[in-house]
């Protein structure tokens, strides 16, 4: 999981809120000479989605198959990048109208988009987002990590939020286009990654509570460093037992935008007290682990690794899924089940996973005023280190991908 990117841009010139123009930041070198982009399209059918009190929507997605060429790597201070928003060159956009057909996707200059004040996403929160990364290999090629998983998760979320969604093939193709159009922003090997943010929003104007008449699928990117300023160093969590992130029957299991604004209050309070983030408990018993604000949680005891089961209140993280498979391949016993606070406090090791953090070891947990610390090499447990190294080596192309998870862009 990921939260939104906090702006880390330097002082910028006057903003140009004009269609087709993008505001420039001091981090952004001038755009190269005009580039030509030819897009060939094919049609792909998407299954019809049926919703109560909602017209059936079937999307015919047009998929682009040629990509844009750009210049060499941008000259940024890669050593001090951090996890913040940096304006890049281009974004992807496609529309889906009342007929349920997505338009041909377009690569456009990155910049403001026009929305009616009565857009469904602004009034009723009808929106989803995804997060994934692109890495630069030592040979210069670029790797994506399991983009089809993000596409499937968006389709599942769109069904819950009564929205049409691009097909898996269009989603993946759009990601490829956007990354290649911005490939000069992919950090050098080992210096970070290109964070990719697909959005699906109800952009059509509507007053009454109902699905929007139009939807926009767009993707933008930003080069990023570590999500937590500590990097692969222990973070300190506090358990929140007054606020809850999700409840049974709600939308905690899909990546809808409203899930994230609701954690900001508790997170801000925790950070003011010196904690890195908040760990939430279940809303029924108030004793079983659910998620950190934007990460899944894992508890290690001996050779067993436990993580809360996916039962509708926890996001099915793609890094979570990958870590489970990597851990099992290394002989660990992985259990997806209810995990109590008592088990957490008695654990040998605890870590979080997510697209932004990858793997983040937990150095301490505070619950009802009691602080429990976890031993390790400078706070980094053996299991956390092993799984982090295995997964990031695969993501960056340092080791052979025997899982078939990476997609190389040529």
């Amino acid at each position: 999981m990921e939260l939104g990117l906090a702006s880390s841009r330097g002082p910028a010139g006057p903003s140009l809120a004009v269609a087709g123009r993008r505001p420039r930041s001091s981090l952004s070198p001038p755009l190269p000479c005009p580039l030509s982009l030819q897009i060939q399209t094919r049609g792909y059918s998407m299954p019809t989605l049926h919703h109560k009190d909602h017209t059936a929507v079937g999307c015919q997605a047009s998929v682009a198959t040629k990509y844009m060429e750009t210049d060499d790597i941008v000259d940024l201070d890669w050593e001090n990048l951090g996890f913040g928003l940096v304006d890049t060159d281009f974004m992807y956009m496609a529309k889906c109208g009342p007929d349920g057909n997505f338009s041909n996707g377009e690569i456009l200059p990155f910049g403001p988009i026009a929305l009616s004040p009565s857009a469904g996403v602004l009034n009723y929160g009808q929106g989803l987002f995804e997060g994934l990364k692109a890495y630069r290999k030592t040979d210069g090629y670029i790797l994506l990590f399991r983009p089809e998983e993000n596409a499937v998760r968006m389709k599942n979320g769109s069904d819950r939020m009564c929205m049409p969604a691009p097909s898996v093939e269009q989603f993946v193709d759009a990601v490829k286009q956007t990354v290649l159009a911005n490939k000069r922003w992919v950090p050098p090997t080992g210096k970070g990654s290109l964070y990719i943010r697909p959005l699906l929003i109800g952009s059509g104007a509507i007053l009454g509570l109902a699905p929007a008449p139009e939807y926009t699928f767009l993707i933008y990117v930003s080069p990023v460093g570590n999500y937590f300023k500590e990097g692969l160093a222990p973070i300190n969590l506090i358990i929140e037992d007054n606020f809850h992130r999700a409840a049974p029957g709600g939308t905690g299991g899909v990546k809808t935008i409203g899930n994230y604004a609701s954690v900001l209050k508790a997170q801000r309070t925790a950070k003011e007290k010196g904690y890195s983030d908040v760990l939430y408990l279940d809303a029924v018993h108030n004793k079983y682990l659910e998620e950190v604000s934007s990460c899944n949680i894992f508890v290690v005891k001996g050779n067993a690794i436990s993580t809360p089961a996916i039962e509708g209140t926890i996001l099915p993280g793609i890094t979570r899924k990958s870590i489970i498979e990597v851990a099992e391949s290394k002989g660990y016993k992985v259990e997806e089940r209810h995990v109590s606070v008592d088990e957490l406090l008695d654990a040998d090791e605890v870590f979080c996973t997510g697209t932004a953090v990858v793997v983040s070891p937990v150095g301490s947990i505070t619950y009802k005023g009691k602080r429990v610390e976890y031993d390790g090499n400078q706070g980094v447990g053996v299991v956390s280190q092993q799984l982090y190294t295995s997964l990031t080596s695969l993501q960056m192309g340092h080791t052979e991908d025997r899982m078939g998870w990476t997609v190389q862009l040529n």
Side-chain angles (χ1 to χ4, degrees):
M1 296 175 63
E2 320 67 35
L3 280 177
L5 299 171
S7 177
S8 65
R9 291 170 290 184
S15 176
L16 298 176
V18 179
R21 300 289 300 276
R22 65 185 291 267
R24 306 302 303 169
S25 81
S26 60
L27 289 175
S28 303
L31 282 173
C33 296
L35 301 168
S36 62
L37 174 65
Q38 293 182 334
I39 298 179
Q40 295 179 341
T41 61
R42 301 192 303 269
Y44 296 90
S45 296
M46 173 177 158
T48 299
L49 306 179
H50 296 282
H51 304 284
K52 184 177 179 181
D53 299 326
H54 177 48
T55 304
V57 178
C59 287
Q60 185 74 17
S62 295
V63 182
T65 57
K66 286 191 177 179
Y67 311 117
M68 179 173 290
E69 295 295 330
T70 55
D71 294 338
D72 293 333
I73 301 176
V74 173
D75 183 19
L76 289 182
D77 182 6
W78 299 112
E79 299 294 338
N80 298 295
L81 185 57
F83 199 91
L85 181 64
V86 177
D87 283 353
T88 53
D89 296 328
F90 301 101
M91 62 185 183
Y92 175 96
M93 184 180 293
K95 297 279 188 178
C96 186
D99 62 355
N101 295 321
F102 273 100
S103 65
N104 294 350
E106 295 182 278
I107 293 292
L108 303 171
F110 178 83
I113 62 173
L115 277 179
S116 167
S118 58
V121 66
L122 298 180
N123 290 264
Y124 302 116
Q126 198 180 21
L128 298 162
F129 75 91
E130 281 296 327
L132 62 157
K133 290 178 177 178
Y135 296 87
R136 189 180 298 275
K137 296 171 60 182
T138 54
D139 61 8
Y141 287 109
I142 296 170
L143 289 181
L144 301 176
F145 183 71
R146 309 189 80 172
E148 72 288 344
E149 292 286 342
N150 295 89
V152 170
R153 188 167 65 180
M154 177 170 276
K155 287 187 68 175
N156 292 338
S158 69
D159 184 69
R160 177 65 176 85
M161 299 302 291
C162 210
M163 306 166 72
S167 68
V168 171
E169 187 164 4
Q170 185 186 25
F171 181 103
V172 173
D173 188 81
V175 168
K176 291 178 180 178
Q177 288 189 62
T178 312
V179 171
L180 288 173
N182 293 286
K183 70 179 182 181
R184 69 195 191 109
W185 297 92
V186 181
T189 304
K191 303 300 182 183
S193 59
L194 188 71
Y195 187 90
I196 306 161
R197 172 55 61 81
L199 286 165
L200 181 62
I201 61 174
S203 51
I206 192 162
L207 184 60
L209 178 58
E214 178 196 78
Y215 296 89
T216 299
F217 173 52
L218 59 88
I219 304 174
Y220 67 91
V221 298
S222 176
V224 297
N226 291 323
Y227 183 77
F228 290 115
K229 63 181 180 180
E230 299 93 338
L232 186 63
I235 62 173
N236 301 304
L237 301 178
I238 184 169
I239 294 177
E240 175 58 58
D241 56 0
N242 291 317
F243 296 106
H244 293 281
R245 176 189 168 274
T251 59
V254 298
K255 207 166 177 63
T256 181
I257 58 178
N259 288 347
Y260 295 84
S262 62
V263 307
L264 296 178
K265 181 177 177 64
Q267 186 187 61
R268 181 178 64 182
T269 300
K271 290 187 175 183
E272 288 172 349
K273 295 179 180 179
Y275 299 103
S276 306
D277 215 326
V278 174
L279 172 59
Y280 290 90
L281 302 179
D282 75 288
V284 177
H285 306 284
N286 209 36
K287 71 173 186 178
Y288 296 111
L289 311 185
E290 293 241 311
E291 292 188 21
V292 180
S293 300
S294 56
C295 314
N296 295 114
I297 189 89
F298 287 78
V299 174
V300 181
K301 189 69 174 178
N303 195 54
I305 302 175
S306 303
T307 190
I310 301 298
E311 296 180 344
T313 58
I314 297 171
L315 189 77
I318 294 161
T319 307
R320 173 190 182 275
K321 179 179 180 179
S322 303
I323 283 293
I324 288 173
E325 295 180 52
V326 170
E328 289 176 335
S329 74
K330 294 186 176 300
Y332 291 101
K333 178 184 178 182
V334 181
E335 299 176 330
E336 298 181 70
R337 58 178 176 82
H338 290 173
V339 182
S340 69
V341 173
D342 290 340
E343 291 180 80
L344 172 74
L345 300 179
D346 188 48
D348 297 333
E349 189 177 335
V350 179
F351 62 88
C352 303
T353 65
T355 298
V357 303
V358 187
V359 173
S360 186
V362 176
S364 73
I365 296 283
T366 299
Y367 180 54
K368 295 186 181 297
K370 178 183 177 181
R371 179 184 174 102
V372 173
E373 297 186 350
Y374 302 96
D375 296 329
N377 180 18
Q378 296 182 333
V380 180
V382 173
V383 178
S384 302
Q385 181 68 68
Q386 181 184 24
L387 297 179
Y388 173 83
T389 300
S390 296
L391 188 59
T392 55
S393 295
L394 189 154
Q395 290 175 326
M396 297 177 188
H398 297 329
T399 57
E400 181 183 356
D401 178 13
R402 296 181 179 178
M403 302 287 197
W405 288 346
T406 57
V407 177
Q408 180 169 295
L409 306 185
N410 296 323

